[in-house]
Amino acid sequence: MLRTESFWIDQGSKLGFAAIAIVVFLAIVGLVMFLADNAPKRGRDVIQLLLFVAPALLLLAAGMIWPALQTIWQSVTSKAGEFVGLDNFVTIFTDPTMQVVMRNTIVWVIFVPTFSTIVGLAYALFIDRSRGEKILKSLVFMPMAISFVGASIIWGFMYTYRSEGFPQIGLLNQILVWLGLSPYQFVETPPWNTFFLLVVMAWIQTGFAMVVLSAAIKGVPAEIVEAAELDGATAWQRFLNVTLPWIRGSLVVVVTTITISTLKVFDIVRTMTGGQYNTSVVANEMYTRAFRLNQPEIGAALAVLLFVLVLPIVVYNIRVLRAHKEAH
């Protein structure tokens, strides 16, 4: 009997809270409409802007700006909260483990955007207006529909290793066995394991590069291409002197977007190796230090470093796009 009564009391409390919330919401909407209808036109626009934008700005401040400020402060303090200046950043660049992390991150940032953009551009050029173009492009773009974790699990099965003499369930090691070679520990053997991990990222991002660049190539005016062809320009010369300059803005978008995604890569490394075997990168090490090794100050310093690395890329992207827009 008591349980029944408490249940109905709880339900009544929830319904009462919901009713109050609805009344408050309707009151706020009514106030907004009243102020909008009765204010002068110029003042009305300002009131509408403030009333509708203010909640979003408050959420932005509470969810992003304030945590970012806290992270910056934590990056220059010790675990006890004492100000230590740049000591945490010195640790990042001098600790042997962190040097491996930085090296791996540089390798990722150089290889993934370069490989993905080149392969995506080549695919967009050679498949453009060919028979079965839609199907062929869909196959390349399909990995973009898979999450990083899902892609990591798929490639994890591809790289799976079993000792020599045992049946291989990993595709690549089975191929090695068929060729008469010994199975290889793809994700456990440094330094090549970093390469096998970043292949996963490149596999995913190539589809993005192909779609964006394919759309940009189709936007090249046919008159310019035909004029270059009439002047005797070869296909390679038309690509270098006509197509490439025209799609420069799209190329910048592709390279910078993939670079930013690569700098922030976490899921692939965390899922496939957990950062072991000298495969950790900045984002993964940030998580490991902050939540696994109880070094929040180092994790915060890595987060700030990641922000500092991404910021100039974003600024450059905006400037190039603005200049490209003005040119066209």
Side-chain angles (χ1 to χ4, degrees):
M1 188 67 179
L2 291 174
R3 290 183 179 177
T4 304
E5 290 178 356
S6 63
F7 170 78
W8 286 111
I9 291 172
D10 291 340
Q11 294 301 314
S13 300
K14 291 178 181 178
L15 290 173
F17 178 78
I20 293 172
I22 292 172
V23 171
V24 171
F25 173 75
L26 293 175
I28 293 174
V29 172
L31 178 62
V32 171
M33 299 301 294
F34 174 79
L35 293 174
D37 289 337
N38 292 279
K41 187 177 186 311
R42 186 170 183 180
R44 187 187 311 167
D45 294 339
V46 174
I47 291 173
Q48 288 176 339
L49 179 64
L50 291 176
L51 288 175
F52 285 105
V53 174
L57 293 177
L58 289 174
L59 290 174
L60 180 65
M64 293 184 63
I65 298 176
W66 177 246
L69 294 175
Q70 285 184 312
T71 301
I72 293 172
W73 171 251
Q74 194 173 31
S75 69
V76 294
T77 59
S78 65
K79 188 187 299 184
E82 300 173 351
F83 181 77
V84 295
L86 299 178
D87 288 356
N88 295 326
F89 294 93
V90 172
T91 301
I92 289 176
F93 291 104
T94 56
D95 182 80
T97 302
M98 295 303 302
Q99 289 178 356
V100 174
V101 171
M102 295 300 167
R103 182 199 66 195
N104 290 340
T105 302
I106 292 172
V107 171
W108 276 75
V109 170
I110 292 175
F111 179 84
V112 174
T114 303
F115 179 83
S116 299
T117 304
I118 291 175
V119 174
L121 177 59
Y123 201 86
L125 283 170
F126 295 134
I127 304 301
D128 188 41
R129 296 184 179 88
S130 64
R131 180 178 296 179
E133 176 186 359
K134 293 181 179 179
I135 297 175
L136 294 172
K137 288 184 176 180
S138 296
L139 292 174
V140 176
F141 185 75
M142 197 175 296
M144 283 292 296
I146 306 173
S147 68
F148 284 178
V149 173
S152 302
I153 293 173
I154 293 171
W155 280 87
F157 284 122
M158 295 274 288
Y159 292 145
T160 298
Y161 166 84
R162 284 186 174 180
S163 300
E164 194 168 359
F166 290 89
Q168 298 296 324
I169 62 172
L171 176 61
L172 295 182
N173 273 317
Q174 184 59 59
I175 293 174
L176 291 178
V177 171
W178 285 338
L179 294 175
L181 303 173
S182 299
Y184 183 77
Q185 295 181 345
F186 289 99
V187 297
E188 292 89 0
T189 308
W192 295 109
N193 51 0
T194 296
F195 170 79
F196 292 116
L197 293 188
L198 57 83
V199 164
V200 182
M201 184 70 171
W203 178 67
I204 296 172
Q205 296 295 334
T206 298
F208 165 74
M210 181 269 299
V211 168
V212 175
L213 296 177
S214 177
I217 290 171
K218 289 182 182 299
V220 178
E223 299 82 4
I224 300 178
V225 178
E226 291 173 1
E229 191 173 357
L230 290 174
D231 288 341
T234 62
W236 178 247
Q237 289 173 333
R238 292 198 299 272
F239 169 72
L240 288 180
N241 299 313
V242 178
T243 304
L244 202 58
W246 189 269
I247 66 171
R248 181 170 177 262
S250 299
L251 274 171
V252 171
V253 170
V254 168
V255 172
T256 53
T257 302
I258 297 177
T259 301
I260 292 171
S261 299
T262 305
L263 277 171
K264 300 186 298 180
V265 66
F266 169 80
D267 315 62
I268 294 173
V269 175
R270 198 75 210 167
T271 302
M272 298 189 73
T273 64
Q276 301 180 72
Y277 317 115
N278 292 338
T279 58
S280 189
V281 290
V282 170
N284 179 75
E285 194 66 19
M286 175 182 66
Y287 170 83
T288 301
R289 296 280 178 154
F291 300 106
R292 291 298 181 89
L293 301 180
N294 194 25
Q295 297 176 343
E297 70 284 0
I298 301 298
L302 286 168
V304 173
L305 175 64
L306 199 58
F307 174 75
V308 171
L309 293 175
V310 168
L311 188 60
I313 299 174
V314 174
V315 173
Y316 174 74
N317 193 1
I318 294 172
R319 287 184 176 180
V320 171
L321 285 176
R322 193 172 292 169
H324 183 75
K325 185 177 180 180
E326 292 174 355
H328 290 81

